[in-house]
Amino acid sequence: MKRYLFRSSSAQSLQEQPHRPSPELFVQDSAMTTTSHAEPNVREQKPLSPVVEAFEDLANHLQRIDIDGGELRLDTFCDSCSLVSILFSCLGLAFKFAESEYVSKVGSLLEASKRHKTLQNILDLDVANGTVRTAGSHSRNLRRVRQGLDLIRALFEQFLATDDYSLRDAATTAYAQTCAPYHTWAIRTAVYAGMYALPSRDQLLLNLCETDQSAEKKMRRYINASLPVIQYIDKLYVSRNISLDW
Protein backbone atom coordinates (compact mmCIF):
# COMPACT_ATOMS: atom_id res chain seq x y z
CA MET A 1 0.00 0.00 0.00
CA LYS A 2 1.29 3.45 -0.87
CA ARG A 3 1.76 6.00 1.90
CA TYR A 4 1.08 9.59 0.94
CA LEU A 5 0.37 11.51 4.09
CA PHE A 6 2.39 12.10 7.20
CA ARG A 7 0.86 13.94 10.09
CA SER A 8 3.14 15.48 12.65
CA SER A 9 3.19 18.43 14.98
CA SER A 10 6.94 18.72 14.40
CA ALA A 11 8.99 19.35 11.29
CA GLN A 12 11.87 17.31 12.69
CA SER A 13 13.43 14.65 10.48
CA LEU A 14 12.92 11.07 11.57
CA GLN A 15 16.20 9.26 12.01
CA GLU A 16 17.02 5.58 11.95
CA GLN A 17 13.90 4.39 10.18
CA PRO A 18 13.81 0.70 9.26
CA HIS A 19 15.71 0.10 6.05
CA ARG A 20 13.60 -0.13 2.87
CA PRO A 21 15.04 -1.48 -0.35
CA SER A 22 15.36 1.43 -2.79
CA PRO A 23 12.93 1.02 -5.69
CA GLU A 24 14.44 0.94 -9.15
CA LEU A 25 14.04 4.05 -11.25
CA PHE A 26 11.07 3.76 -13.59
CA VAL A 27 9.26 1.52 -11.05
CA GLN A 28 6.49 3.11 -9.09
CA ASP A 29 5.90 0.83 -6.11
CA SER A 30 4.96 -2.62 -4.99
CA ALA A 31 1.39 -2.17 -6.18
CA MET A 32 2.77 -1.99 -9.69
CA THR A 33 5.31 -4.78 -9.41
CA THR A 34 3.01 -7.37 -7.86
CA THR A 35 0.52 -7.42 -10.70
CA SER A 36 0.47 -10.08 -13.36
CA HIS A 37 3.39 -10.55 -15.73
CA ALA A 38 1.37 -9.15 -18.63
CA GLU A 39 0.60 -5.80 -17.04
CA PRO A 40 4.21 -4.62 -16.41
CA ASN A 41 5.03 -5.44 -20.04
CA VAL A 42 2.21 -3.22 -21.25
CA ARG A 43 3.28 -0.44 -18.91
CA GLU A 44 6.90 -0.77 -19.98
CA GLN A 45 5.88 -0.39 -23.62
CA LYS A 46 3.73 2.67 -22.84
CA PRO A 47 5.80 4.75 -20.41
CA LEU A 48 3.29 7.61 -20.32
CA SER A 49 0.61 5.52 -18.62
CA PRO A 50 2.30 4.87 -15.24
CA VAL A 51 3.61 8.45 -15.15
CA VAL A 52 0.15 9.90 -15.65
CA GLU A 53 -1.45 7.57 -13.11
CA ALA A 54 1.21 8.29 -10.49
CA PHE A 55 0.87 12.06 -10.77
CA GLU A 56 -2.91 11.96 -10.80
CA ASP A 57 -2.60 9.98 -7.60
CA LEU A 58 -0.27 12.60 -6.11
CA ALA A 59 -2.56 15.43 -7.18
CA ASN A 60 -5.55 13.74 -5.55
CA HIS A 61 -3.69 13.29 -2.28
CA LEU A 62 -2.53 16.89 -2.31
CA GLN A 63 -6.19 17.86 -2.45
CA ARG A 64 -6.71 15.79 0.69
CA ILE A 65 -3.78 17.55 2.34
CA ASP A 66 -5.42 20.90 1.60
CA ILE A 67 -8.62 19.71 3.26
CA ASP A 68 -7.43 17.46 6.08
CA GLY A 69 -3.88 18.64 6.68
CA GLY A 70 -0.79 16.47 6.70
CA GLU A 71 2.38 16.34 4.64
CA LEU A 72 3.48 14.56 1.49
CA ARG A 73 5.91 11.72 2.11
CA LEU A 74 9.31 12.06 0.46
CA ASP A 75 9.57 8.37 -0.48
CA THR A 76 6.21 8.41 -2.27
CA PHE A 77 7.13 11.60 -4.10
CA CYS A 78 10.41 10.04 -5.25
CA ASP A 79 8.70 6.85 -6.40
CA SER A 80 6.45 8.88 -8.69
CA CYS A 81 9.24 11.14 -9.94
CA SER A 82 11.45 8.17 -10.81
CA LEU A 83 8.93 7.18 -13.47
CA VAL A 84 9.45 10.44 -15.35
CA SER A 85 13.11 9.76 -16.16
CA ILE A 86 12.20 7.42 -19.01
CA LEU A 87 10.41 10.31 -20.73
CA PHE A 88 13.71 12.17 -20.93
CA SER A 89 15.35 9.15 -22.54
CA CYS A 90 12.58 9.10 -25.18
CA LEU A 91 13.80 12.55 -26.26
CA GLY A 92 17.20 11.22 -27.24
CA LEU A 93 20.63 12.83 -26.94
CA ALA A 94 19.27 16.38 -26.90
CA PHE A 95 18.00 15.91 -23.36
CA LYS A 96 20.73 13.56 -22.15
CA PHE A 97 22.07 16.18 -19.75
CA ALA A 98 18.60 16.87 -18.36
CA GLU A 99 18.02 13.14 -17.95
CA SER A 100 21.34 12.61 -16.18
CA GLU A 101 20.79 15.52 -13.80
CA TYR A 102 17.20 14.54 -13.11
CA VAL A 103 18.01 10.88 -12.37
CA SER A 104 20.88 11.91 -10.11
CA LYS A 105 18.74 14.33 -8.09
CA VAL A 106 15.84 11.89 -7.74
CA GLY A 107 18.27 9.20 -6.60
CA SER A 108 19.73 11.53 -3.98
CA LEU A 109 16.29 12.40 -2.64
CA LEU A 110 15.33 8.73 -2.63
CA GLU A 111 18.36 7.98 -0.46
CA ALA A 112 17.41 10.89 1.81
CA SER A 113 13.92 9.44 2.23
CA LYS A 114 15.44 6.69 4.38
CA ARG A 115 16.22 9.33 7.00
CA HIS A 116 13.70 12.12 6.37
CA LYS A 117 9.99 11.50 6.29
CA THR A 118 8.55 14.38 4.26
CA LEU A 119 9.46 17.12 1.81
CA GLN A 120 9.01 19.62 4.64
CA ASN A 121 11.62 17.80 6.73
CA ILE A 122 14.43 18.20 4.20
CA LEU A 123 13.64 21.87 3.61
CA ASP A 124 13.50 22.64 7.34
CA LEU A 125 16.82 20.86 7.88
CA ASP A 126 18.55 22.89 5.17
CA VAL A 127 16.99 26.13 6.41
CA ALA A 128 18.30 25.40 9.90
CA ASN A 129 21.78 24.62 8.54
CA GLY A 130 21.85 27.49 6.06
CA THR A 131 22.41 25.06 3.16
CA VAL A 132 19.26 25.57 1.08
CA ARG A 133 21.17 26.65 -2.05
CA THR A 134 24.33 24.67 -1.40
CA ALA A 135 25.28 22.31 -4.21
CA GLY A 136 24.17 18.79 -3.34
CA SER A 137 21.75 19.85 -0.61
CA HIS A 138 18.36 18.17 -0.49
CA SER A 139 16.59 21.50 -0.98
CA ARG A 140 18.63 22.21 -4.11
CA ASN A 141 18.03 18.70 -5.44
CA LEU A 142 14.29 19.05 -4.85
CA ARG A 143 14.34 22.35 -6.72
CA ARG A 144 16.04 20.69 -9.71
CA VAL A 145 13.60 17.76 -9.72
CA ARG A 146 10.73 20.23 -9.68
CA GLN A 147 12.25 21.96 -12.72
CA GLY A 148 12.50 18.60 -14.50
CA LEU A 149 8.81 17.92 -13.90
CA ASP A 150 7.99 21.40 -15.19
CA LEU A 151 10.16 20.90 -18.28
CA ILE A 152 8.19 17.81 -19.29
CA ARG A 153 4.92 19.65 -18.60
CA ALA A 154 5.97 22.61 -20.76
CA LEU A 155 7.23 20.32 -23.52
CA PHE A 156 3.91 18.49 -23.61
CA GLU A 157 2.07 21.82 -23.80
CA GLN A 158 4.22 22.91 -26.74
CA PHE A 159 3.86 19.51 -28.41
CA LEU A 160 0.08 19.79 -28.28
CA ALA A 161 0.08 23.40 -29.50
CA THR A 162 1.54 22.55 -32.91
CA ASP A 163 1.55 19.85 -35.55
CA ASP A 164 5.12 20.59 -36.63
CA TYR A 165 7.11 17.57 -37.74
CA SER A 166 10.17 18.87 -35.89
CA LEU A 167 10.19 19.13 -32.10
CA ARG A 168 13.00 21.68 -32.05
CA ASP A 169 10.81 24.78 -31.61
CA ALA A 170 8.61 23.07 -29.02
CA ALA A 171 11.57 21.81 -27.00
CA THR A 172 13.47 25.11 -27.29
CA THR A 173 10.47 27.05 -25.99
CA ALA A 174 9.85 24.60 -23.14
CA TYR A 175 13.50 24.70 -22.07
CA ALA A 176 13.62 28.49 -22.25
CA GLN A 177 10.53 28.75 -20.05
CA THR A 178 11.57 26.31 -17.34
CA CYS A 179 15.29 25.55 -17.04
CA ALA A 180 17.36 27.95 -19.15
CA PRO A 181 17.10 30.87 -16.67
CA TYR A 182 18.85 28.74 -14.03
CA HIS A 183 21.54 27.08 -16.17
CA THR A 184 25.00 28.44 -16.93
CA TRP A 185 25.88 29.76 -20.36
CA ALA A 186 27.86 26.60 -21.13
CA ILE A 187 24.96 24.30 -20.29
CA ARG A 188 22.46 26.43 -22.23
CA THR A 189 24.73 26.42 -25.27
CA ALA A 190 25.11 22.64 -25.15
CA VAL A 191 21.37 22.09 -24.74
CA TYR A 192 20.43 24.40 -27.60
CA ALA A 193 23.01 22.75 -29.85
CA GLY A 194 21.55 19.38 -28.96
CA MET A 195 18.09 20.43 -30.09
CA TYR A 196 19.10 19.43 -33.61
CA ALA A 197 19.34 15.83 -32.41
CA LEU A 198 15.76 15.68 -31.17
CA PRO A 199 13.58 12.90 -32.57
CA SER A 200 10.85 13.89 -34.99
CA ARG A 201 7.27 14.12 -33.80
CA ASP A 202 6.51 10.71 -35.28
CA GLN A 203 9.63 9.19 -33.74
CA LEU A 204 8.72 10.51 -30.30
CA LEU A 205 5.27 8.94 -30.61
CA LEU A 206 6.96 5.72 -31.65
CA ASN A 207 9.31 5.90 -28.64
CA LEU A 208 6.29 6.42 -26.38
CA CYS A 209 4.32 3.67 -28.15
CA GLU A 210 1.42 6.07 -28.57
CA THR A 211 -0.72 7.45 -31.37
CA ASP A 212 -1.41 11.15 -31.80
CA GLN A 213 -4.79 10.68 -30.15
CA SER A 214 -3.67 8.57 -27.19
CA ALA A 215 -0.59 10.75 -26.58
CA GLU A 216 -2.70 13.90 -26.54
CA LYS A 217 -5.02 12.49 -23.88
CA LYS A 218 -2.19 11.31 -21.66
CA MET A 219 -0.10 14.46 -22.10
CA ARG A 220 -3.06 16.61 -21.10
CA ARG A 221 -3.61 14.41 -18.06
CA TYR A 222 0.04 14.81 -17.04
CA ILE A 223 -0.12 18.59 -17.56
CA ASN A 224 -3.19 18.84 -15.32
CA ALA A 225 -1.85 16.45 -12.66
CA SER A 226 1.71 17.74 -12.47
CA LEU A 227 0.77 21.40 -12.06
CA PRO A 228 -0.61 21.07 -8.48
CA VAL A 229 2.47 19.01 -7.53
CA ILE A 230 4.75 21.74 -8.88
CA GLN A 231 2.72 24.42 -7.12
CA TYR A 232 2.83 22.47 -3.85
CA ILE A 233 6.63 22.34 -3.99
CA ASP A 234 6.85 26.05 -4.79
CA LYS A 235 4.65 26.88 -1.80
CA LEU A 236 6.99 24.94 0.49
CA TYR A 237 9.84 27.24 -0.52
CA VAL A 238 7.84 30.47 -0.50
CA SER A 239 6.34 29.72 2.94
CA ARG A 240 9.91 29.54 4.26
CA ASN A 241 10.86 32.83 2.62
CA ILE A 242 12.96 31.05 -0.01
CA SER A 243 12.81 32.75 -3.41
CA LEU A 244 12.29 30.74 -6.58
CA ASP A 245 14.79 32.58 -8.79
CA TRP A 246 17.49 29.88 -8.78
Side-chain angles (χ1 to χ4, degrees), residues 181-217:
Y182 315 111
H183 284 170
T184 64
W185 175 87
I187 293 175
R188 292 197 305 271
T189 301
V191 170
Y192 285 131
M195 295 296 181
Y196 290 92
L198 280 166
S200 66
R201 184 185 188 91
D202 289 345
Q203 184 60 53
L204 177 59
L205 291 173
L206 186 63
N207 293 345
L208 294 173
C209 297
E210 302 286 352
T211 64
D212 261 321
Q213 293 75 21
S214 65
E216 178 178 356
K217 291 178 181 178

Side-chain angles (χ1 to χ4, degrees), residues 4-206:
Y4 288 87
L5 306 180
F6 176 73
R7 303 178 186 281
S8 173
S9 59
S10 170
Q12 295 288 332
S13 303
L14 299 185
Q15 306 291 331
E16 303 299 329
Q17 296 185 44
H19 176 72
R20 283 188 304 113
S22 298
E24 295 289 339
L25 292 184
F26 316 144
V27 177
Q28 181 178 355
D29 56 27
S30 58
M32 182 182 297
T33 58
T34 55
T35 55
S36 68
H37 291 296
E39 186 175 357
N41 289 336
V42 172
R43 289 174 181 270
E44 182 180 355
Q45 293 170 4
K46 294 182 178 290
L48 266 178
S49 295
V51 172
V52 168
E53 292 167 9
F55 276 83
E56 286 180 337
D57 232 357
L58 280 183
N60 289 335
H61 282 274
L62 289 178
Q63 286 184 339
R64 289 173 51 193
I65 287 176
D66 285 341
I67 297 173
D68 302 328
E71 300 175 357
L72 181 62
R73 292 181 62 99
L74 181 57
D75 54 3
T76 299
F77 173 75
C78 290
D79 288 346
S80 297
C81 289
S82 67
L83 297 168
V84 177
S85 55
I86 196 172
L87 300 183
F88 285 104
S89 67
C90 289
L91 294 167
L93 293 176
F95 278 76
K96 192 64 180 176
F97 173 81
E99 178 189 3
S100 177
E101 181 180 53
Y102 181 86
V103 169
S104 172
K105 300 303 187 280
V106 172
S108 178
L109 291 176
L110 190 59
E111 184 66 23
S113 72
K114 299 175 183 177
R115 302 181 302 278
H116 309 296
K117 201 78 170 178
T118 69
L119 276 66
Q120 284 88 337
N121 291 158
I122 59 174
L123 282 172
D124 288 338
L125 179 64
D126 282 336
V127 168
N129 292 334
T131 55
V132 169
R133 300 196 184 198
T134 301
S137 72
H138 300 318
S139 298
R140 188 179 183 87
N141 289 342
L142 177 61
R143 179 78 181 141
R144 294 297 176 258
V145 169
R146 174 254 185 249
Q147 289 170 356
L149 300 177
D150 203 22
L151 175 59
I152 295 296
R153 179 201 60 77
L155 179 60
F156 283 176
E157 283 186 341
Q158 294 300 316
F159 180 92
L160 297 176
T162 179
D163 292 325
D164 288 350
Y165 180 76
S166 171
L167 295 180
R168 189 175 67 188
D169 288 346
T172 298
T173 300
Y175 176 74
Q177 290 176 348
T178 58
C179 296
Y182 315 111
H183 284 170
T184 64
W185 175 87
I187 293 175
R188 292 197 305 271
T189 301
V191 170
Y192 285 131
M195 295 296 181
Y196 290 92
L198 280 166
S200 66
R201 184 185 188 91
D202 289 345
Q203 184 60 53
L204 177 59
L205 291 173
L206 186 63

